């Protein structure tokens, strides 16, 4: 094999990128020079779209080369339109510790055409409204998967119609019969749905349909990775490139098959640079409902843990059936967690936050800007219903304890923040309340700031009690 | 190096291919009919140990062309291609450690458990499965601890008697081991003496015949005394002492604990906080006084929503480094899944939309466990029966080969 | 005690300049009265000058017109214009001198140069007076944030510079008003503080530092030279990689080579530069002055009385060599590294660089364990020379920072030590006797394919080079403009590598990056 394989993101050197940049050091990208920009591109901190000169005629060849160089080993596939469009895949690596995972796994909930219209409407509403606030942001569901159970194109079209009238979220049309899909597409084509699926039996006709409507498509070959490759190869040859792979989601006693298959596919893409497996993987925990188990609770339980395992093992999109909060919550939170930058904790903006109606005598509390810390403390303060000022210090997103240990939260840091945020202007008194876990900073902080320091409880849930019992301080 | 020289080298490596590891281990390889012109020989060993070079029968020549320029025609028939699963081979493996001891081995257990021994990445290849299924140890506390209802429900009868609690865990919930958490010895709780703690352990040893894990209170000085006492009392039982830490090294109590543990034939657990370098350093210190082949690692398990992803990644990294030859990380790992219950989402009332506390909690523990199972963890400390049975169940299925019926994955047109 | 004897100044200057082409030139002023009619006045030209019309002010023009004596004009050629910086009576075209300076955090070194021949006439050095205000750069930035502090720092720096000028001119037969050009290499903060600039922006992570050289006039800041003597400060790349590093690069010529080079200058700042003629990147690590002998109990500068090599033989006997072959007073950076490497090899240090209580020569000191290097009866001070456990902790911390910085830089550009073909050691570092020990102690990784070069005080050499070759100034600016800078303070890989580097590598460990 003479052609060099594509390089993975961990192999690409900033030097490779640098050589393809204009190298005028103009600074339009906001970096000091082209070398600095190249370094950040490879680190995932910026993208080549931020270099305007690259997008001029003069550098079109270099731009092409750069796009090819930096293209992820697992292709990005989009469905849906406008502001609601979803992108899946776009992954560069096998392990999240090599490079941050991109494009968190969307979750699609199913609807079938054998459901009564009112059931359908209720279900759609539940999906749209589903939300859990975590670290200050709403975690939500992402898509609807419409299944043809009746095998009747008309019924399917009706289902699609109802859905299109009720909401804007991206759709997945599910049937292996091309005419049923065609019926669905006749009412929602402009929303660019994802089509499930092309199989070895329908690839010619379904392929035609997919090309005509320019829709991304799932290629399904349950349990047969060679067949999957053959299908992908054929479709690529034909010009179809927006594909999602479905190796089949097995469950119960066959759960191993799914884990091993997904791993084999992702490894082939990321370690062996296999172009036929360089596509996003579909996971369908909904499969558990097709087993022998009749107990709904047990099926939900299985769907729940299976979904989480799929998120962990390379599924780029999930189709589920259970709409129970307890089943979906851990998936939303785990998805959030596994897609965070493994090196950078989630943080909030530093600054002053007020709670209730604080006045010049209200207490001043100090905390770190780690998102989890901030929202925990915020929630505890609100529950305790106290009026106060909360000073959120920039600790680079580290929790109070870690920041103290790593010296990111220090007396000097606190002093600087107090000064920069003009806290002295808000209150007459000169008392700071620091977290119990930062107790060892109290002496130095008093020196640096000139304020008195009160050491608060170790857990923020004790703030309410502390304020009630020890504020305002009696000693002079 | 010129391109032609590079091509020569890659051909050389292809020739050596599977033999590369043999070369490294000192064996000789004879190459016949090979002519190579080499200026500078640089042998690069790719990551992942020796990956066998395979001939994938595919045609990549079309990939370089600009899609716009080609005219697409539907192929007449399916273009056949095949997939061959590659077997990774790693230069090293994880140590195997047996916990507990039967009568013939000097203890009083009915059976022992063995953990570790993996020679490949966890559940990456069905031909390369862990030699031992994961071991699950259920928690027993020697003092009243505040617990969410979902946990307390099952334990109201036995919560105040470690021996009965242990029995229930083994007989009803299928515990492979029991972890006795001696929280009462904490100077800030009840400051119970090491002798009292040893008595509790003795009771449990008599009540159940599975191997035991002894959990301290976290105080580096007190735990040292407690562990030393128990080590002597339970000589020969091959307990796992949970845990020794860098704090102990700083408090200068590491050496006595290690010495006692070694003398009386027990195993140790080294506990560090989500940092591989700290883990390696602690292990290095322990090696001075205690044999590496009886040491396990706890890299810290954090609850889902509170940093489970950190635990996950650190275990993946540790396992990869160990298999690639880092001897200081080649120890079986342990996860305290019970930590999942510290997450608010596991036990708090979140309103009707997220109802079912009694399922959400166990699910929290289960997902934590399964996630770390996929990261290669060998031993789990757990509490909720449902989580335990699910983990055992899934682990068992991952290890066992099974025929697949494609129908099982067919969900599109099923009626629910 | 260190001030008593003359410091061992590092003046190993590479002579890579082919033609002497300074930025200042002298011309005789030709006033040609023949040419004119009384009404127009004389024609004024500079003999032999054919460049752009020189820029001069009213006073200068008047002086030329009204002067009865013949005059010599000195022109300073900048990229865009030529400035008239001096007018002297009579023909002084044979007297053209300049000064090259290295404005270091601790020491200031200067060279007096004949700009016509390129000859170095004299060299001098002194301590940077800013030390009395603050030893570390961070401290100086903090002081410089306030205006009074800024003035104090500037005055201190100027004091040292003027002291050098004085030392150079004194007894050399050259006067302060014969200094027509000054070229200075110093790190960014030093340069800014000299110029009186507010260093506050340099505190921040993404401090954008202009890569244009700082240009000053002697009179603006108060240097003892002609009022209009220009001062060219080599350009900076970032807040911690400044003109001194650029000077190092010019001296090494790494920016002209196809092979990849690594340049290391471990002063207080610790600059590390990687690259070749196509690309270049840099970073800095707070390596601390441990490698210069500071901060250690028995540490001292590399000068007479300092132990600079240490061996420990099989019987545990310590064998040392002293600079100047006198009785030892202390240990300099080179000696400390040697000692540490020897101690590790002899089993006196454990793998994390801590003293082993039971090892021979280790005893309980005032603040913990210490290792006796030289007993008091053999020293010049009458006190034991020891290496304490605090010293070792400090040394390990410094060394880990350097090693981690080097590894991170190499890794970030997807290279390995095998790709490095030249390693340049600059600054105090370059005088270390034993490069092997730098590797065995774990300050540097192994570079199996590299040639090692010592370039001495590259900052000074670079300043000197720019003094006598104006084209190099452009090269310097070009390098600064295109060099990428990696800030380690916020780099996650660095934290990990640092923790991993806090150990002394095993003997057989090939220090290759996994
Ligand atoms: C996840 C984690 C990390 C993550 C970072 C996550 C983050 N954003 O901080 C990573 C892996 C990056 C990390 C790094 C480090 N960590 Co860490 N880390 C943890 C861990 C497991 C959880 C921290 C957490 O999420 N806490 C939850 C948040 C909400 O807690 P919090 O901010 O402290 O807030 C609580 C209280 O402080 C209080 N509170 C907060 N604000 C306020 C305000 C007021 C007024 C009051 C009254 C109370 C209050 O209420 C909050 C809610 O309970 C803990 C151990 C643990 N606690 O389980 C160790 C821990 C904090 N880390 C530790 C250490 C040592 C480190 C490192 C120094 C390790 C190293 N060798 O580099 C680094 C430091 C950072 C650095 N780069 O240098 C130690 C600290 C030991 C010590 N006390 O010195 C711990 C305790 C682990 C251990 N036992 O070894 N860490
Ligand atoms: S915008 Fe482009 S050309 Fe300009 S400095 Fe940035 S990377 Fe270089």
């Amino acid at each position: 094999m003479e052609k060099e394989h594509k390089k993975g993101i961990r192999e690409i050197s900033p030097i490779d990128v640098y050589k393809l940049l204009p190298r005028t050091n103009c600074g339009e990208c906001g970096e000091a020079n082209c070398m600095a920009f190249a370094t950040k591109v490879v680190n995932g901190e910026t993208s080549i779209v931020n270099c305007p000169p690259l997008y001029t005629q003069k550098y079109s060849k270099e731009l092409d080369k750069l796009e090819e160089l930096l293209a992820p080993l697992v292709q990005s596939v989009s469905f849906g339109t406008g502001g609601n469009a979803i992108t899946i895949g776009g992954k560069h690596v096998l392990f999240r510790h090599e490079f941050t995972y991109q494009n968190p796994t969307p979750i699609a909930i199913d609807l079938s055409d054998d459901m009564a219209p009112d059931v359908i409407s209720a279900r759609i509403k539940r999906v749209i409204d589903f939300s859990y606030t975590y670290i200050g942001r709403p975690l939500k569901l992402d898509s609807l998967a419409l299944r043809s159970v009746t095998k009747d194109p008309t019924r399917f079209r009706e289902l699609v119609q109802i859905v299109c009238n009720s909401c804007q979220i991206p759709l997945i049309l599910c049937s292996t019969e091309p005419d049923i899909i065609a019926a669905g597409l006749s009412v929602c084509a402009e929303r660019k749905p994802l089509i499930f699926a092309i199989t070895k039996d329908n690839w010619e006709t379904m392929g035609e349909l997919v090309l005509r409507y320019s829709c991304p498509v799932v290629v399904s070959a349950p349990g047969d990775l060679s067949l999957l490759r053959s299908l992908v190869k054929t479709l690529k040859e034909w010009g179809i490139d927006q594909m999602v792979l479905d190796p089949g989601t097995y469950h119960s006693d066959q759960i191993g098959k799914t884990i091993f298959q997904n791993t084999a596919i992702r490894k082939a893409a990321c370690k062996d640079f296999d172009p036929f497996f360089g596509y996003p993987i579909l996971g369908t925990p909904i499969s558990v409902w097709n087993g022998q188990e009749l107990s709904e609770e047990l099926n939900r339980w299985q769907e729940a843990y299976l979904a989480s395992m799929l998120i962990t093992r390379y599924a780029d999109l999930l189709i589920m059936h259970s709409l129970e909060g307890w089943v979906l919550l851990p998936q939303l939170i785990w998805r959030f967690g596994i897609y965070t930058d493994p090196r950078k904790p989630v943080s909030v903006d530093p600054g002053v936050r007020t709670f209730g109606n604080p006045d010049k005598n209200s207490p001043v509390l100090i905390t770190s800007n780690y998102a989890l810390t901030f929202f925990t403390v915020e929630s505890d303060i609100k529950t305790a219903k106290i009026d106060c000022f909360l000073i959120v210090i920039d600790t680079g997103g580290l929790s109070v304890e870690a920041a103290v240990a790593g010296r990111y939260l220090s007396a000097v840091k606190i002093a600087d923040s107090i000064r920069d945020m003009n806290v002295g202007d808000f209150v007459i008194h000169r008392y700071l309340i620091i977290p119990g876990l930062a107790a060892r900073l109290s002496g130095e902080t008093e020196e640096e700031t000139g304020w008195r320091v009160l050491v608060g409880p170790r857990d923020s849930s004790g703030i309410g009690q502390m304020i009630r019992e020890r504020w305002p301080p009696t000693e002079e | 190096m010129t391109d032609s020289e590079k091509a020569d080298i890659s051909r050389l490596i292809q020739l050596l291919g599977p033999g590369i590891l043999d070369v490294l281990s000192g064996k000789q390889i004879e190459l016949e009919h090979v002519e190579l012109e080499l200026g500078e020989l640089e042998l690069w060993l790719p990551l992942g140990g020796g990956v066998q070079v395979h001939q994938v029968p595919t045609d990549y020549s079309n990939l370089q062309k600009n899609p716009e320029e080609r005219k697409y025609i539907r192929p007449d028939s399916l273009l056949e291609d095949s997939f061959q699963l590659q077997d990774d081979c790693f230069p090293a493996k994880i140590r195997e450690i047996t916990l507990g001891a039967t009568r013939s081995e000097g203890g009083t257990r009915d059976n022992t458990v063995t953990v570790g021994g993996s020679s490949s990445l966890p559940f990456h290849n069905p031909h390369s499965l862990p030699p031992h299924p994961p071991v699950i140890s259920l928690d027993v506390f020697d003092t009243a601890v505040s617990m969410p209802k979902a946990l307390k429900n099952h334990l109201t009868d036995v919560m105040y008697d470690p021996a009965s609690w242990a029995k229930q865990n083994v007989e009803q919930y299928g515990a492979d081991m029991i972890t006795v958490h001696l929280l009462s010895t904490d100077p800030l709780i009840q400051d119970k003496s090491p002798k009292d703690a040893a008595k509790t352990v003795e009771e449990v040893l008599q009540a159940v015949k599975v191997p035991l894990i002894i959990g301290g209170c976290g105080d580096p000085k007190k735990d040292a005394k407690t562990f030393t006492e128990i080590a002597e009392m339970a000589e020969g039982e091959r307990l796992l002492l949970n845990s020794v830490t860098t704090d102990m090294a700083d408090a200068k109590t590491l050496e006595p604990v290690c010495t006692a543990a070694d003398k009386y034939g027990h195993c140790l657990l080294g506990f560090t906080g989500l940092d591989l370098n700290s883990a390696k350093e602690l292990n290095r210190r322990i090696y001075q006084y205690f044999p590496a082949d009886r040491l396990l690692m706890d890299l810290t398990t954090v609850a889902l929503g509170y940093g489970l992803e950190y635990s996950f990644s650190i275990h993946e990294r540790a396992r990869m480094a160990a298999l690639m030859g880092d001897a200081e990380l080649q120890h079986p790992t342990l996860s305290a899944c019970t930590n999942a219950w510290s997450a608010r989402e596991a036990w708090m009332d979140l309103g009707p939309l997220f109802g079912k506390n009694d399922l959400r909690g166990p699910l929290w523990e289960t997902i934590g466990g399964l996630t770390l199972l996929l990261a290669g963890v060998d031993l789990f400390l757990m509490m909720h029966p449902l989580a335990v049975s699910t983990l055992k169940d899934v682990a068992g299925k991952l290890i066992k080969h099974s025929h697949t019926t494609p129908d099982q994955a067919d969900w599109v047109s099923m009626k629910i | 005690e260190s001030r008593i004897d003359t410091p061992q100044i590092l003046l190993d200057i590479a002579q890579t300049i082919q033609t002497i082409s300074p930025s200042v030139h002298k011309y005789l002023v030709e006033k040609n009265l023949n040419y004119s009619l009384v009404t127009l006045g004389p024609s004024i030209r500079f003999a032999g000058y054919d460049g752009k019309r020189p820029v001069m002010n009213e006073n200068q023009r008047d002086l030329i017109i009204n002067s009865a004596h013949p005059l010599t004009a000195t022109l300073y050629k900048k990229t865009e214009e030529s400035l008239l910086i001096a007018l002297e009576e009579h023909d002084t075209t044979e007297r053209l001198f300049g000064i090259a300076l290295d404005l270091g955090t601790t020491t200031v070194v200067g060279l007096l140069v004949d700009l016509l021949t390129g000859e170095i006439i004299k060299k001098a050095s002194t301590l940077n007076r800013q030390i009395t205000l603050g030893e570390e750069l961070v401290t100086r930035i903090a002081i410089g944030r306030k205006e009074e502090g800024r003035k104090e720092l500037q005055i201190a720096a100027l004091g040292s510079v003027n002291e050098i000028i004085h030392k150079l001119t004194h007894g050399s037969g050259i006067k302060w008003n014969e200094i027509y050009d000054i070229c200075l290499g110093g790190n960014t903060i030093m340069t800014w503080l000299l110029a009186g600039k507010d260093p506050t922006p340099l505190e921040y992570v993404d401090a954008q530092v202009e890569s244009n050289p700082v240009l000053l006039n002697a009179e603006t800041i108060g240097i003892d030279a002609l009022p209009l003597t220009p001062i060219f400060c080599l350009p900076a790349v970032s807040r911690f990689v400044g003109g001194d590093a650029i000077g190092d690069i010019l001296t090494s010529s790494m920016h002209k080579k196809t092979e990849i080079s690594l340049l290391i200058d471990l002063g207080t700042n610790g600059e590390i530069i990687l690259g070749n003629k196509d690309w270049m990147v840099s970073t800095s690590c707070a390596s601390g002055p441990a490698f210069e002998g500071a901060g250690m109990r028995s540490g001292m500068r590399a000068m007479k009385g300092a132990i600079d090599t240490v061996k420990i033989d099989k019987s545990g006997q310590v064998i040392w060599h002293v600079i100047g072959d006198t009785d030892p007073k202390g240990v300099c950076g080179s000696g400390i590294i040697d000692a540490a490497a020897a101690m590790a090899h002899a089993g006196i240090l454990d793998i994390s660089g801590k003293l082993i209580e039971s090892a021979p020569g280790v005893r309980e000191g005032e603040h913990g364990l210490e290792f006796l290097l030289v007993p008091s009866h053999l020293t010049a001070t009458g006190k034991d020379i020891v290496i304490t456990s605090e010293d070792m902790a400090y040394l390990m911390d410094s060394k880990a920072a350097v090693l981690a910085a080097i590894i991170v830089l190499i890794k970030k550009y997807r290279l390995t030590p095998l790709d490095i073909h030249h390693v340049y050691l600059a600054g105090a570092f370059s005088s270390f006797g034993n490069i092997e020990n730098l590797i065995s102690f774990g300050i540097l990784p192994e570079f199996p394919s590299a040639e090692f070069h010592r370039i001495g005080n590259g900052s000074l050499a670079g300043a000197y080079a720019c003094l006598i070759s104006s084209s190099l100034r452009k090269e310097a600016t070009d390098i600064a403009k295109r060099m990428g800078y990696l800030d380690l303070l916020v780099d996650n890989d660095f934290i990990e590598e640092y923790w991993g580097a806090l150990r002394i590598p095993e003997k057989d460990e090939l220090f290759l990056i996994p």
Side-chain angles (χ1 to χ4, degrees), chain A residues 43-162:
Chain A
N43 230 26
E45 290 171 71
T46 185
S47 137
I48 52 172
V49 302
N50 290 324
C51 168
L54 254 188
Y55 289 83
T56 57
Q57 186 59 27
K58 187 165 176 208
Y59 297 105
S60 63
K61 263 181 102 189
E62 283 79 5
L63 178 61
D64 283 343
K65 289 206 182 123
L66 271 172
E67 284 181 335
E68 204 191 303
L69 180 70
L70 296 166
L73 294 167
V74 174
Q75 188 154 305
S76 297
V77 172
S78 298
F79 64 104
T81 45
N84 294 307
I86 292 176
T87 306
I88 63 175
K91 309 258 193 316
H92 292 264
V93 291
L94 190 63
F95 298 106
R96 67 183 285 274
H97 60 255
E98 294 176 297
F99 193 76
T100 316
Y101 279 172
Q102 311 292 309
N103 302 322
T105 309
I107 297 177
I109 303 291
D110 86 310
L111 286 167
S112 39
D113 62 0
D114 63 335
M115 290 176 175
D118 55 327
V119 171
I120 293 174
S121 304
R123 204 163 157 82
I124 294 176
K125 188 170 186 322
R126 249 199 90 132
V127 171
I128 308 274
D129 292 344
F130 196 98
S131 176
Y132 180 77
T133 308
Y134 175 71
I135 304 194
R137 53 203 88 185
L139 301 181
K140 300 179 76 59
L141 298 167
D142 311 281
S143 164
L144 288 164
L146 311 180
R147 301 186 299 118
S148 164
V149 173
T150 61
K151 309 272 177 127
D152 179 353
T154 325
R155 289 290 295 275
F156 191 67
R157 195 186 317 124
E158 277 166 19
L159 171 64
V160 179
Q161 191 68 73
I162 297 177

Side-chain angles (χ1 to χ4, degrees), chain C residues 347-360:
Chain C
I348 296 167
L349 295 174
D350 71 9
I351 202 168
S352 51
K354 294 203 174 64
L355 289 166
I356 297 175
E357 212 166 333
S358 52

